[in-house]
Amino acid sequence: MTNPRISPALDEQARAILTGNDRGGYTVPTDGLYPYQWNWDSAFAAWGFATFDLDRAWTELDTLFSAQWADGMVPHIIFHKPDPGYFPGPDVWGTGQSPETSGISQPPVAATMARLIFEMDAEAGRDRLAALYPRMLAWHRWWRDQRCGSGVVAITHPWESGRDNCPDWDIGMANVDGSNVGEYTRRDTGHVDASMRPGKADYDRYIAMVQFGRDCGWDQSEIVANGPFLMADPGITFILLRAHDDLAALGRALGHDVSEVEGWAADLRAAVPSIWNAETRGFDARDLKTGRFSGRIGSAAFLAYLANVESPELDARMTELWDAVRYGFPSADPASEEFDPRRYWRGPSWPVVNALMAIGLTDRGRHAAAERLRRETAELIEAHGFFEYFDPIDGTPCGGDAFTWTAAIWLTWAGAAGDAKGGA
Ligand code: GLC
């Protein structure tokens, strides 16, 4: 179904960004700042490609899964070609994989994106999906086996959440010793303004966690049991719950028995109440080493809608956070003292998270809220272009420009008036 497009000129620019960031079978998030293949960025890129090149869309996912580890993990970065402009590179991670990769994962949106792509043309996509399905299944099993020991999804590094420096992780980060990581040179602050990036103390801790993983040979059980950081992530919990359902739907379409996936989804759903914090009235991250809640509510809490989880309290909280800003959903609570409208995941509005939230809201029949989110996100892109993220109060564009996933969600969702699922 074709939706009315807001601006053919912006459509053209968005397609040019996707093809311009294409490095041959995979897409970089943006030139310079992020010169490799990133896991969830790539899944969104695939969705964007699907609006004009279905074959290329499936290839993006194939390339992502071609770096899958033997244990099923799909890594968060794949270092296809060396690039000295990025830190920490493959030598720091030291995973010994081929192609070289990082040693953690990232939000498993691939099955959800694969379903959206498959539904655009099921006949053409059937063989591609059939080849991908066992790999997605193995990845979901990895999440279940390696990250769901406490019920909901745990992360072993803030970067695994995709929301690198959000306030959710502050209490877990406080227990990580970053004082012995040695000298290193960051590359991110050479590409974008340092005031928009995580600070040095945070970065030392990020590197300490990478060094722990490398020193134990990326033994995931050891990292979970004795690593410096382990926190329950509401964001990945809801994303995985949704993705389990989407994977099961894809499996059914292929004629497979999906009872195993349905069982994972049921178990995960049953564990969701353990991250409801009555004090902050929201789904909250939890330090699994101490059991303490982070006490911070951000955009991830509202990915609940994506996983068919809703309640009047959640609706009320959504309105509180959202009405405090002007453009899209804030990544951190504007009423909290940590809120910083331009610092990465500590306040800014991220088009890609807005898109996920809108898919959930639409599926729950909240069309007015979904349309508001789409309109506010579209306004940002129309006024400033395809930036990585934006100040949710005054709309200032931040981070990298010509960003792949921002272009992708324009083509699939933000630029298509009147339907939060978009599609060409
Ligand atoms: C940052 C973001 C992460 C994203 C990556 C590439 O690390 O926090 O979510 O995947 O950049 O865009």
Side-chain angles (χ1 to χ4, degrees):
M1 196 180 77
T2 307
N3 298 307
R5 303 297 306 178
I6 297 173
S7 163
L10 283 176
D11 291 358
E12 201 46 56
Q13 281 177 38
R15 285 190 283 269
I17 287 171
L18 288 184
T19 49
N21 287 339
D22 184 351
R23 295 291 177 274
Y26 72 95
T27 315
V28 296
T30 187
D31 194 41
L33 181 62
Y34 296 118
Y36 301 109
Q37 184 175 24
W38 260 260
N39 188 321
W40 70 325
D41 298 66
S42 230
F44 285 105
W47 190 28
F49 273 120
T51 62
F52 63 100
D53 187 346
L54 268 174
D55 189 55
R56 181 61 187 78
W58 289 110
T59 299
E60 184 81 25
L61 293 174
D62 286 345
T63 310
L64 174 62
F65 279 84
S66 71
Q68 185 165 36
W69 287 22
D71 67 358
M73 182 178 84
V74 182
H76 104 290
I77 308 175
I78 304 154
F79 302 109
H80 291 285
K81 294 177 209 152
D83 191 313
Y86 183 80
F87 177 88
D91 49 325
V92 182
W93 288 93
T95 59
Q97 297 285 315
S98 176
E100 296 195 89
T101 72
S102 67
I104 56 174
S105 198
Q106 247 195 341
V109 292
T112 298
M113 296 299 135
R115 184 177 182 187
L116 290 167
I117 296 165
F118 181 65
E119 285 173 352
M120 287 180 188
D121 189 341
E123 210 178 310
R126 202 180 162 83
D127 289 350
R128 307 296 297 266
L129 175 66
L132 204 55
Y133 182 80
R135 297 183 154 232
M136 293 195 288
L137 188 67
W139 189 28
H140 283 218
R141 186 178 291 115
W142 178 86
W143 281 105
R144 156 83 183 199
D145 292 349
Q146 300 293 345
R147 293 291 187 268
C148 292
S150 76
V152 293
V153 179
I155 53 163
T156 59
H157 192 300
W159 291 344
E160 199 157 58
S161 73
R163 300 177 296 123
D164 304 8
N165 67 333
C166 69
D168 304 32
W169 317 132
D170 289 2
I171 59 163
M173 284 280 278
N175 291 326
V176 179
D177 180 4
S179 62
N180 292 314
V181 293
E183 293 292 311
Y184 62 90
T185 307
R186 285 173 67 169
R187 301 295 176 157
D188 55 328
T189 44
H191 297 286
V192 295
D193 190 335
S195 69
M196 295 178 181
R197 301 287 304 178
K200 157 116 176 98
D202 281 351
Y203 232 83
D204 287 348
R205 292 180 169 117
Y206 295 148
I207 299 308
M209 289 177 250
V210 172
Q211 290 177 349
F212 183 95
R214 188 191 57 201
D215 292 349
C216 73
W218 295 103
D219 174 341
Q220 297 292 333
S221 313
E222 170 64 13
I223 295 169
V224 167
N226 298 313
F229 181 97
L230 191 73
M231 286 192 76
D233 177 8
I236 298 193
T237 296
F238 294 130
I239 286 172
L240 183 63
L241 192 44
R242 167 61 178 244
H244 279 332
D245 288 348
D246 288 328
L247 188 63
L250 291 172
R252 266 179 236 113
L254 292 171
H256 295 307
D257 172 2
V258 295
S259 50
E260 187 185 22
V261 188
E262 287 171 339
W264 299 336
D267 289 350
L268 190 50
R269 189 169 293 284
V272 164
S274 72
I275 49 168
W276 178 263
N277 182 348
E279 226 167 274
T280 49
R281 293 175 297 125
F283 290 110
D284 194 356
R286 228 176 163 153
D287 188 341
L288 294 171
K289 292 181 174 288
T290 61
R292 275 178 59 208
F293 276 119
S294 82
R296 308 284 179 269
I297 301 299
S299 50
F302 304 95
L303 293 178
Y305 298 103
L306 191 62
N308 196 4
V309 172
E310 56 189 338
S311 73
E313 266 177 307
L314 193 68
D315 293 346
R317 275 307 251 156
M318 175 173 76
T319 307
E320 273 175 40
L321 266 75
W322 199 356
D323 285 355
V325 299
R326 166 67 184 81
Y327 294 102
F329 208 83
S331 44
D333 184 353
S336 68
E337 61 183 36
E338 299 83 18
F339 179 73
D340 189 341
R342 296 196 190 160
R343 198 180 283 273
Y344 222 39
W345 293 95
R346 299 183 79 84
S349 172
W350 287 72
V352 72
V353 175
N354 294 343
L356 282 181
M357 222 175 121
I359 291 175
L361 288 166
T362 301
D363 286 354
R364 310 271 71 73
R366 313 294 181 83
H367 296 288
E371 174 55 16
R372 170 180 166 192
L373 206 42
R374 189 205 62 75
R375 197 181 56 246
E376 291 180 1
T377 307
E379 281 177 53
L380 289 168
I381 296 172
E382 285 169 308
H384 307 288
F386 298 90
F387 275 81
E388 187 177 8
Y389 57 95
F390 298 86
D391 181 323
I393 295 170
D394 67 8
T396 298
C398 300
D401 193 0
F403 225 86
T404 291
W405 63 11
T406 308
I409 66 95
W410 172 266
L411 290 169
T412 50
W413 168 65
D419 179 357
K421 271 207 184 148

